[in-house]
């Protein structure tokens, strides 16, 4: 299939360009030309408020009158953006007769060039066009590409430009140069740029240029929060690093659909922990991460929820920092936030809770060592992680320290996933609810008046929800 339009990037800096029209469409076209440095003349008897301000500021030359045929003369590019199709066609005919590229809005057959949808990471520009077929499709593709191309690519391109000559002088062999740029663009240098750490990126590229650097590649560790289970809750950066790492070290709480989004050829190492069943001690995990990175691997440490909220992420990067291993931390949606949102329970609310506290309900020696007096204070929401086994102690201690037995309680099982179930009750009866129909871990416990809002605000239903018999997650109708 032949190309109807040749994709090109045209320099219009300081060159005379014409826009005819003063509406919102003309405004968008003019904005693109001004960003490219064009010397724009705009012809229109009326302008939008924004165009009026720009004209008064001298950003372009304004001719406050209808189009005249002589307006096209001497122009290097023309855009017809009036609301009169006859005038637009006249402009196109005149421009074509003088071999001037012309674009006519909403009339692709009259165009000799198209303005694509763009992803602007200047100096990196990605353009998407569907030709004459579907501008809406082009915008959709642009939106999806926006999510895959970090804003830092512009800074990365600037860095590469500054080092281009040095790299060429350093590596005379083209294969070595390609290897060098592959390491830079897909490794620690690029990630430092994406994280806004320009000085660290420059230091890293200097190390890459040092003699012998190609003989040994020090890897990096990505400590990534996988969220509570729904893959759609991953951050863009998390997804990019998941598909970049060649070793994946993951926990039990990482959902299988999320694990499936990592590189297919990546080595996977399971270090999950269950109650009284630790596959690998924490100290061994810390040591393994450092050793893998030292061997040159890009290591993805994938943890459920957020790695810095009851995830021992701080312990793992403490070892890396002490040994000079590059690392970065990508936060995830913690279980409290994700599960509460999917259960229709706001953790704070002006009428019910002015603060929220996250605590671990993990048993140690048969007890839970918490500041129960503080947790019993009114006007707050308490979220217990890993508290299912210790639920009887939680209920007993809260009531003993002054919380009303009628205080609402919710248990969210496997929140944000198709297996989500929400159990509700009060401190006085929740143990009976659980005994009659035991929930499966991981289950989050929410205690507070905000639980009362669930019936009104619940929006996420699954086949496990006893109030709706659907087989897949759907939105609730109110």
């Amino acid at each position: 299939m032949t190309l109807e339009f040749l994709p090109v990037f045209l320099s219009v800096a300081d060159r005379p360009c014409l826009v005819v029209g003063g509406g919102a469409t003309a405004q968008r076209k003019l904005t693109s030309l001004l960003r490219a440095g064009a010397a724009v003349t705009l012809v229109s008897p009326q302008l939008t408020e924004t165009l009026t301000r720009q004209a008064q500021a001298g950003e372009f030359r304004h001719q406050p009158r209808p189009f005249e045929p002589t307006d096209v003369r001497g122009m290097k590019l023309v855009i017809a953006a009036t609301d009169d199709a006859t005038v637009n066609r006249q402009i196109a005919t005149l421009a074509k007769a003088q071999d001037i590229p012309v674009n006519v809005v909403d009339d692709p057959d009259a165009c000799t060039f198209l303005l694509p949808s763009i992803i602007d990471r200047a100096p990196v520009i990605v353009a998407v066009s569907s030709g004459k077929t579907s501008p809406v499709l082009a915008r959709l593709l642009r939106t999806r590409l926006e999510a895959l191309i970090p804003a830092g690519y512009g800074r990365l391109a600037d860095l590469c430009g500054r080092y281009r000559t040095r790299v060429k002088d350093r590596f005379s062999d083209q294969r070595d140069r390609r290897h060098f740029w592959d390491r830079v663009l897909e490794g620690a240098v690029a990630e430092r740029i994406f994280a806004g750490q320009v000085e660290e990126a420059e230091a890293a590229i200097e190390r890459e240029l040092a003699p012998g650097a190609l003989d040994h590649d020090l890897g990096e560790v990505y400590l990534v929060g996988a969220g509570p289970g729904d893959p759609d809750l991953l951050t863009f950066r998390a997804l990019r690093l998941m598909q970049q790492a060649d070793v994946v070290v993951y926990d039990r709480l990482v959902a299988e659909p999320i694990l499936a989004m990592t590189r297919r050829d990546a080595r996977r190492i399971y270090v999950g922990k269950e109650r009284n069943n630790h596959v690998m001690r924490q100290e061994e995990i810390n040591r393994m991460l450092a050793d893998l990175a030292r061997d040159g691997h890009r290591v993805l440490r994938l943890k459920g929820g957020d790695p810095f909220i009851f995830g021992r992420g701080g312990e793992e990067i403490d070892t890396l920092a002490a040994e000079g291993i590059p690392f970065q931390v990508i936060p995830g949606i913690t279980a409290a936030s994700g599960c509460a949102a999917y259960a229709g329970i706001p953790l704070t609310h002006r009428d019910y809770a002015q603060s929220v506290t996250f605590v671990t309900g993990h048993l140690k020696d048969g007890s839970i060592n918490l500041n129960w007096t503080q947790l019993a204070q009114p006007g707050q929401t308490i979220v217990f992680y890993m508290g299912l086994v210790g639920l009887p102690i939680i209920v007993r201690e809260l009531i003993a320290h002054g919380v009303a037995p009628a205080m609402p309680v919710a248990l969210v099982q496997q929140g944000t996933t198709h297996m989500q179930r929400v159990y509700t009750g009060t401190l006085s009866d929740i143990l009976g609810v659980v005994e009659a129909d035991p929930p499966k871990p991981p289950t989050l416990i929410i205690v507070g008046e905000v639980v009362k809002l669930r019936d009104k605000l619940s929006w996420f239903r699954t086949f496990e929800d006893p109030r709706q018999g659907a087989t897949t997650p759907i939105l609730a109708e109110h």
Side-chain angles (χ1 to χ4, degrees):
M1 184 176 180
T2 59
L3 290 174
E4 188 171 0
F5 292 91
L6 177 67
V8 297
F9 288 88
L10 181 67
S11 175
V12 295
D14 300 321
R15 310 196 77 185
C17 298
L18 175 67
V19 176
V20 184
T25 302
Q27 180 180 311
R28 291 196 299 271
K29 306 289 187 178
L30 178 132
T31 298
S32 297
L33 288 174
L34 291 180
R35 290 202 62 193
V40 180
T41 296
L42 186 144
V43 177
S44 178
Q46 295 180 330
L47 302 177
T48 66
E49 291 184 7
T50 299
L51 286 174
T52 298
R53 287 194 299 270
Q54 289 179 286
Q56 292 171 347
E59 296 183 22
F60 59 88
R61 178 171 174 253
H62 178 216
Q63 297 284 13
R65 56 170 173 75
F67 170 76
E68 297 177 359
T70 54
D71 290 330
V72 173
R73 188 179 303 156
M75 294 296 170
K76 302 301 181 184
L77 181 147
V78 173
I79 294 177
T82 77
D83 56 5
D84 187 326
T86 301
V87 172
N88 287 345
R89 285 274 177 158
Q90 179 191 7
I91 296 169
T93 299
L94 290 167
K96 291 175 183 176
Q98 300 176 52
D99 289 329
I100 301 172
V102 61
N103 175 268
V104 182
V105 297
D106 296 329
D107 190 356
D109 290 333
C111 298
T112 59
F113 78 93
L114 302 178
L115 288 173
S117 293
I118 67 169
I119 298 95
D120 187 355
R121 302 291 187 264
V124 175
I125 302 294
V126 179
V128 181
S129 174
S130 63
K132 298 178 181 179
T133 57
S134 177
V136 175
L137 176 60
R139 289 196 295 270
L140 175 62
L141 292 174
R142 180 202 65 194
T143 300
R144 295 189 175 182
L145 288 172
E146 287 272 10
L148 299 175
I149 304 174
Y153 267 108
R155 297 191 298 270
L156 181 60
D158 286 334
L159 180 71
C160 293
R162 295 200 304 272
Y163 279 88
R164 184 177 179 182
T165 300
R166 284 188 57 188
V167 172
K168 188 174 182 180
D169 293 341
R170 170 70 176 82
F171 303 107
S172 58
D173 186 274
Q174 186 177 4
R175 288 174 299 179
D176 288 343
R177 285 200 299 272
R178 186 181 300 116
H179 186 196
F180 172 86
W181 286 121
D182 284 344
R183 289 158 56 94
V184 167
L185 296 175
E186 297 184 10
V189 175
E191 290 304 325
R192 291 292 177 270
I193 288 290
F194 297 152
Q197 301 170 343
V198 178
E199 292 183 0
E200 290 85 346
E202 291 177 345
I205 202 170
E206 290 289 350
R207 289 194 296 270
E208 296 283 1
L209 284 168
L214 290 179
D215 298 333
H216 179 69
D217 183 13
L218 182 63
E220 186 173 8
V221 175
Y222 313 135
L223 183 60
V224 173
D230 185 350
D232 287 347
L233 298 181
L234 288 168
T235 64
F236 295 151
R237 175 174 286 182
L239 181 59
R240 186 179 75 252
L241 296 180
M242 287 167 59
Q243 296 173 344
Q244 182 171 296
D246 51 57
V247 178
V248 179
V249 180
Y250 66 101
D251 281 345
R252 177 178 63 92
L253 295 181
V254 176
E256 182 59 37
I258 292 177
L259 189 62
M261 298 171 77
T262 59
R263 270 177 47 181
R264 292 188 177 183
D265 60 341
R267 174 188 173 193
R268 295 182 181 181
I269 303 175
Y270 175 66
V271 295
K273 298 177 181 178
E274 299 181 56
R275 178 175 170 78
N276 299 324
N277 180 21
H278 291 191
V279 174
M280 186 178 295
R281 294 170 53 245
Q282 186 62 55
E283 294 76 13
E284 295 173 324
I285 296 174
N286 302 348
R287 180 73 265 145
M288 179 180 62
L289 294 176
D291 290 343
L292 286 169
R294 199 175 296 282
D295 288 340
H297 293 290
R298 288 176 289 187
V299 185
L300 173 70
R301 178 63 173 109
L302 195 58
K303 306 174 76 71
D306 182 276
F308 277 9
I309 299 181
F310 304 122
R312 295 191 175 182
E315 298 177 38
E316 295 178 354
I317 64 172
D318 184 58
T319 299
L320 302 175
E323 299 190 16
I325 304 295
F327 66 87
Q328 55 180 297
V329 181
I330 295 80
I333 293 179
T334 188
S337 178
C339 295
Y342 274 54
I345 302 173
L347 294 177
T348 62
H349 190 285
R350 286 191 298 173
D351 297 332
Y352 298 103
Q354 291 72 52
S355 66
V356 58
T357 300
F358 299 165
V359 295
T360 175
H362 183 65
L363 289 176
K364 186 176 182 179
D365 300 326
S367 63
I368 305 176
N369 185 21
L370 296 172
N371 187 340
W372 296 107
T373 301
Q374 177 182 336
L375 296 180
Q377 297 302 307
Q380 64 176 328
T381 303
I382 312 299
V383 181
F384 292 89
Y385 288 68
M386 300 170 285
L388 188 57
V389 174
L391 183 60
I393 298 174
I394 292 172
V395 169
R396 183 191 70 208
E397 293 297 330
L398 288 177
I399 293 177
H401 285 80
V403 180
M407 178 63 73
V409 180
L411 274 65
V412 185
Q413 168 194 288
Q414 296 176 289
T416 78
T417 75
H418 71 284
M419 294 296 292
Q420 174 174 302
R421 287 192 65 181
V422 181
Y423 302 73
T424 57
T426 65
L427 286 177
S428 63
D429 65 17
I430 192 64
L431 293 179
V433 172
V434 169
E435 183 179 356
D437 186 10
K440 302 174 182 177
T443 294
L444 199 76
I445 302 170
I446 304 173
V447 180
E449 298 287 350
V450 291
V451 175
K452 294 178 179 178
L453 298 169
R454 166 169 163 72
D455 288 337
K456 179 181 179 181
L457 303 181
S458 178
W459 60 273
F460 183 75
R461 300 282 191 270
T462 73
F463 73 89
E464 289 287 345
D465 193 319
R467 294 174 298 173
Q468 182 136 355
T471 57
T472 55
I474 62 173
L475 298 184
E477 295 183 359
H478 295 291

